Each structure stands twice: as structure tokens, then as C-alpha cells.
Amino acid sequence: MHNGAGRRGMWLWAAALAVYAFLYLPLLIVIVYSFNDSRLNAEWVGFTWHWYDVLLHDEDMLAAAGNSLFIAVVSSFSATVLGTMAGIAMYRYKMKVLTFMVMAPVAMPEILLGVSLLLFFIQVLNLTLGMLSIVLAHITFSIGFVAIVVRTSLAGLDESMFEAARDSGASPWETFRYITFPLILPGVIAGGLMAFTLSLDDFVITFFTAGVGVSTLPLRIYSMIKIAVTPEVNAVSTLLMLLTLTIIVLASRIAPNVLRFKT
Amino acid sequence: MSDKYPILSRPARLTKWLVSGPPFLYLLLFFAAPGIIMVLASLRYPGEFGGLAPLTAAPGTLHGLTLETYRFFFSDFIYTEIFIKSFLVALATTLICLVMAYPLALLIARSPKRSRDFMVLLVILPFASNFLIRIYAWMILLGPQAALSLLVNSLLGLIGLGPVHLLFSPFAVLVAMVYVHLPFMTLPLYTNLERHDPVLLDAAQDLGANAWQRFWRVTFPLSLPGIFSGSVLVFIPVLGMFAIPDILGGTSDMLVGNLIKEQFLGTRDWPFGSTLSIVLTIVVLLCVWLAAKLGSKRRRYA
């Protein structure tokens, strides 16, 4: 057998298992320590819900979580609408400039988008940094992710269906409304969920476009691990992991191909 | 497809602009315009209290524009050095990711079809947890009281070497860089390996190739496109990273990202920060161009 039976297969399994352990060990440690009855992340003392209780009474953290959710909802909704349009345009009209503008923010280092938007908001728009600037920035980087997913779903469709619709006298809008859209809807939803988690998790671009007044969950986590590490970070991390895990599993159920990065 | 409609009728053309117009305008305003502003900002003088000086503030110059920041960048080798260091860190991260991702991707690609999706999901899940949490996890794991530090230092103690700090070191930065970017290498590699026709390996075996030859002469060359796309996906974000050195690195572990961040939020020298960003953009574009060129050449041979 070529597919790795025998001793060689064992080596492959061992190497892969080691990598899986490398991927999961750090996160397991965070989860375990979120229940540790100690102020230090050093040794296991005993089980406690204390850090979750601290978290639930941390006003700043709750406000940051509220901001994060609001920003994620507004920006992922807008990015889903714009990204779906972009994905359709990229697939149907093969516009090179649009494709470049959609893909570039996804491909370039995040810091470049962050600082250029900071400059633009302050120097050109004369905008006070805060909620609005964060939402605008998040839409910019999310459009591309939604567009890629939508284009992938379109590429998987059978062209003859559109021809059949046209031949039976459907207008382009009717074809879209009754045929194309229902078929790509799973992709659109998966893209939207992706934009939602990206917004919820974004640190770099938010860091540059937030200003001083508004904080988000990742910004709070950053200042906690930079300044004073308490096991409260473990608790908020565990909850955030649980949330993204749910969304990812949901997205993978809705559109399995999307998460496998298949085209 | 567009070539099916050689002549777009008027309503079709209207549809085209209705569909592509809104995202195009949005990105023109919030992606292209900020980029252009950054190029212009790199040609300005810094303001007295940070930001940019007014355009009229420098009499005797060309409308208040200058190449001073670019001259400054090349006048002190320290900036070039930081760029080179970032480049090397990105290269090392890419290579380590490749070595770690390959067996994983190969195993998934050669597993029964029904378990593949689950194994891929297992790679994606840690990647879906917040990026700062993943960095923070290494703060715990590499901390002075953590098992790993204790083990390393007791081993070093046996051969008479002093205790080392794993946290706040280049080692910690590299570990976290690999950890955060590993899925970017694994997924494209897996997508490529999954498409290989197993018949080719059988043929190689029939021709007398041993396991190593089958890998090195068949699987590896065929996987080069996957390696290239994975490498680009790892290399580029690492090049601009500031959070990992910021949190896990020592005070001297500055990379380009940290330098840019410092210019914008610390010393507030926006023209110089813009210049650094533009040099970084050029480096990124050169790397992408090089990878695309190498990729296409390799594909012709494979």
C-alpha cells in the first residue's frame, strides 16, 4: 500500500500527532488555568469559578464586549452585502481592478491597512477615532473574505441552470432572485459568519483605528497581558474560544467547502 | 461568463455597475485613497506636535514636499538592519511551518475520505481562537515557572550552563510566529496533496522506487505549488507583525511592524512612519512577484 501502512505510516502519524499536540496544548493550558484557584499561572491549586465571577463584574470588560459585538454585527452585515456584490462582479465580469482592490486588503500585512486608515481618518476625513472608524475599517478588510467565499460558491454552480432560466423567459433579476441567490445563500451566510468572527477577533487594525475613547475585547485582552496578567484573561479567553468555536462549527455545517479553502 | 455576452445590452451594463459599483466605491474610498494618502504623507514634513506639518510650513521647498524621510531611512543602517532581521524571521518562520505542516498535510490527504474533513477542522479550530489568546498561551507555557522552562534549565544546569529565560526572547517570538501561522501553510498544502493521483506513486513503486524516492521524486515536486502559496501566506503577515515581538519579545527584538507602530503611536513621526510602511509595501510586492515567478517556473517542470 502506498498510503502509509506499516512503519513509514507510523512515523507520519507520530509527526502529525506531535503537531496536533503543539496546536492544542497551549489552548488547553489556558482553559485549565481559567478554573485554577490561584493568582499565578504556574501550578494547579484547585478548582474555582472565581475568575468567571470576576469577569462578570468587570464593567470595562463588559463594555468592551458590548462594543465588540456591536461592531461585529454592523460591520459583518455591511461587508456581507458589499462582499456578495463584489464576489458576483468578480465572477461574472472578471474586472481586474475590482479584483485587485478586493484581494489586496486580505493579502497585505494588516499593519499597513491599519496605519493608512489612521492617517486617512485623521488627516483627510478629520474624524474623531472611535466606533465609526473601527466599523469602517472592519468593513474594508471583511469585504474580501466574503467575496472569496461567494465567488467560490458561484464557481460551483452549473451554468446551464442560468441558461434554462433565461430560455424560460426569466429576467436577470428574477434569475438572481429565484435561482442564483438561493443557491449561493449558504456561501453568503458562511462568508458573513467569517466576517463576524474576523471583526470580533481583530486586534491590529482596531488598535490603530480605535482612538482613546472606545475599547474592544481584543484591545482589553492586549492591555491586560501587556500590563497586569490575572487569570481573568484565561476566563475571557475561554469564553471567546467557545464563541468562535460555535461559529466555526456552524459555518462548516452550512458550507463545508468554504472552510476547506477549495475553489 | 462575460465572453458569452460579447455585446452587453444597456440594462446588462446598468446591472454591471449596480453590482460592482458599491463595493468598488467603498474600497476606493477606504482602501485606495488611504494608500495614496500614505504615499503623500511620506513626502511631508513632520508636524511640531506630531502628525504632519501644514503644506505651507516649509518655505523654500517644493510645496512643502520632501524626500527627507527616504534619505533618513537610508542614512542610518539601523533601519535597513531591522528590515533584514524581519525578513530573516519571516524566512525562518516559513521554513519551520513548512517542516511541521508537511507531515500533517500528507497524513490528512492520505486518510480515508470521511475522516479528512474532521482532521482539517482540527487544524482550523485553534486558528479560530483569538490571535492574542494564542500569543498569551505561550506567555504561560514559556514563563519562568512553567514546566518547559524548568526542564530546559535543569538540563542546562547539568552541563553547567546558566539559567536562560525562554520568555521575552527571540526564541519565544519564533515559537509564537510558527504557532500562529501554521494553518496558513497546512491548508494550501493539504489542498494540493489531496489532488495528487495515487496511481503515480504506484507507477513509481512498480519502477522500483523506494519510499524516499517516491516522496522526493514524485510527491514533493508535485506539491511545489502548494508550498509556494502556503509560503506566501505565512511570509507576508510575519513580515508586518508587531504584536508578537511586542508581547513575547525582549526590548531589543524590534521588527519592522514595531518600528512602524512606534512612529505612528509613539514618537508620532507620521512622515517617517509612512515611509517605513511604503518600503514594507514594496518589499511585500517584490516577495509576491518573486514567489509567483518561481512558482510558475517550477510548475512548468513539475
Side-chain angles (χ1 to χ4, degrees):
Chain A
M1 280 287 284
H2 60 78
N3 59 353
R7 206 158 52 88
R8 214 158 35 76
M10 293 282 284
W11 279 111
L12 198 57
W13 265 104
L17 280 179
V19 177
Y20 272 128
F22 173 73
L23 283 175
Y24 280 89
L25 185 68
L27 298 178
L28 284 176
I29 293 276
V30 171
I31 296 171
V32 167
Y33 279 151
S34 77
F35 298 106
N36 189 14
D37 198 4
S38 160
R39 284 201 64 83
L40 299 170
N41 287 321
E43 55 173 340
W44 178 257
V45 176
F47 180 90
T48 179
W49 287 104
H50 175 71
W51 303 111
Y52 290 89
D53 194 47
V54 171
L55 189 64
L56 284 178
H57 295 94
D58 184 337
E59 300 282 334
D60 288 347
M61 192 66 95
L62 294 178
N67 290 340
S68 277
L69 279 177
F70 177 79
I71 292 162
V73 169
V74 176
S75 70
S76 64
F77 180 78
S78 320
T80 306
V81 175
L82 290 169
T84 303
M85 291 172 135
I88 294 170
M90 278 156 64
Y91 176 73
R92 169 69 64 192
Y93 306 116
K94 316 260 188 282
M95 302 161 83
K96 284 220 173 74
V97 184
L98 180 73
T99 308
F100 172 79
M101 289 215 299
V102 169
M103 305 296 268
V106 174
M108 67 201 264
E110 280 184 286
I111 190 170
L112 293 175
L113 194 60
V115 294
S116 67
L117 280 167
L118 166 71
L119 255 176
F120 184 70
F121 287 140
I122 291 187
Q123 208 70 37
V124 179
L125 298 187
N126 217 349
L127 195 74
T128 308
L129 297 182
M131 267 329 200
L132 181 62
S133 55
I134 301 175
V135 168
L136 292 172
H138 283 202
I139 295 172
T140 304
F141 74 71
S142 303
I143 289 177
F145 288 95
V146 179
I148 292 168
V149 176
V150 169
R151 192 177 59 171
T152 310
S153 331
L154 278 167
L157 298 182
D158 188 351
E159 281 282 331
S160 61
M161 272 187 298
F162 307 126
E163 282 161 32
R166 206 154 33 108
D167 293 346
S168 6
S171 71
W173 169 248
E174 284 168 335
T175 311
F176 178 77
R177 173 73 185 77
Y178 296 108
I179 306 212
T180 319
F181 189 69
L183 287 173
I184 61 167
L185 189 61
V188 173
I189 294 173
L193 287 174
M194 207 166 166
F196 183 82
T197 52
L198 286 169
S199 167
L200 204 61
D201 275 346
D202 180 74
F203 164 68
V204 176
I205 290 164
T206 315
F207 185 67
F208 289 103
T209 53
V212 282
V214 176
S215 193
T216 66
L217 223 39
L219 292 185
R220 283 289 306 158
I221 293 175
Y222 176 74
S223 60
M224 284 177 93
I225 58 185
K226 269 293 270 189
I227 298 157
V229 180
T230 70
E232 192 191 344
V233 184
N234 300 329
V236 71
S237 302
T238 304
L239 290 181
L240 205 53
M241 266 187 250
L242 210 61
L243 181 63
T244 27
L245 184 93
T246 313
I247 298 174
I248 288 287
V249 172
L250 209 64
S252 74
R253 280 287 153 81
I254 296 170
N257 282 344
V258 167
L259 287 175
R260 290 160 69 191
F261 287 67
K262 281 200 174 154
T263 47
Chain B
M1 302 245 179
S2 60
D3 47 5
K4 274 191 194 156
Y5 311 97
I7 305 157
L8 286 179
S9 62
R10 199 162 286 278
R13 201 183 302 157
L14 183 68
T15 313
K16 178 179 172 177
W17 291 114
L18 280 178
V19 173
S20 58
F24 185 78
L25 287 178
Y26 193 91
L27 291 169
L28 199 64
L29 187 59
F30 293 108
F31 173 66
I36 293 164
I37 295 302
M38 202 159 74
V39 175
L40 293 175
S42 75
L43 300 170
R44 300 269 295 266
Y45 287 96
E48 259 179 83
F49 307 104
L52 305 175
L55 273 174
T56 49
T61 59
L62 191 72
H63 306 295
L65 297 180
T66 174
L67 283 169
E68 180 59 26
T69 50
Y70 289 91
R71 199 193 60 78
F72 183 65
F73 176 80
F74 288 108
S75 71
D76 197 338
F77 189 63
I78 189 164
Y79 301 115
T80 326
E81 215 174 328
I82 291 176
F83 264 87
I84 293 171
K85 193 164 81 181
S86 308
F87 185 88
L88 292 176
V89 169
L91 201 64
T93 307
T94 308
L95 286 176
I96 299 171
C97 279
L98 178 61
V99 170
M100 291 181 81
Y102 216 107
L104 193 58
L106 200 60
L107 181 77
I108 301 175
R110 294 187 181 174
S111 292
K113 237 187 168 72
R114 59 199 153 74
S115 48
R116 273 184 228 166
D117 282 356
F118 179 67
M119 291 168 90
V120 170
L121 192 65
L122 279 184
V123 175
I124 297 174
L125 285 183
F127 169 55
S129 69
N130 186 284
F131 151 78
L132 290 168
I133 297 171
R134 283 176 286 155
I135 303 175
Y136 165 67
W138 283 101
M139 260 178 109
I140 302 180
L141 277 170
L142 299 174
Q145 292 306 310
L148 189 64
S149 290
L150 297 178
L151 179 74
V152 167
N153 280 320
S154 63
L155 287 177
L156 283 176
L158 286 180
I159 53 171
L161 288 173
V164 290
H165 287 281
L166 296 182
L167 194 58
F168 308 126
S169 71
F171 172 75
V173 172
L174 200 58
V175 169
M177 288 284 198
V178 169
Y179 187 67
V180 166
H181 296 97
L182 194 56
F184 289 112
M185 184 65 90
T186 313
L187 296 174
L189 204 49
Y190 155 71
T191 316
N192 169 288
L193 289 169
E194 193 205 32
R195 280 199 294 256
H196 291 191
D197 192 343
V199 166
L200 289 171
L201 290 176
D202 293 338
Q205 190 164 26
D206 292 346
L207 292 170
N210 64 32
W212 175 248
Q213 284 169 327
R214 285 200 300 272
F215 173 76
W216 195 238
R217 310 282 291 265
V218 181
T219 307
F220 186 77
L222 283 175
S223 68
L224 281 173
I227 292 178
F228 276 114
S229 46
S231 299
V232 171
L233 287 179
V234 173
F235 191 85
I236 289 173
V238 175
L239 213 49
M241 176 69 67
F242 76 90
I244 290 176
D246 219 32
I247 295 168
L248 294 174
T251 41
S252 61
D253 287 316
M254 197 180 233
L255 300 183
V256 180
N258 306 81
L259 193 59
I260 293 175
K261 176 206 139 195
E262 191 50 38
Q263 299 306 315
F264 275 96
L265 301 180
T267 52
R268 287 182 50 83
D269 186 344
W270 288 8
F272 189 53
S274 301
T275 302
L276 293 168
S277 309
I278 284 161
V279 177
L280 177 59
T281 310
I282 293 168
V283 172
V284 166
L285 289 176
L286 277 176
C287 292
V288 174
W289 175 77
L290 197 71
K293 219 171 152 62
L294 277 173
S296 66
K297 194 184 275 175
R298 292 291 183 158
R299 219 164 302 172
R300 233 177 294 140
Y301 291 128

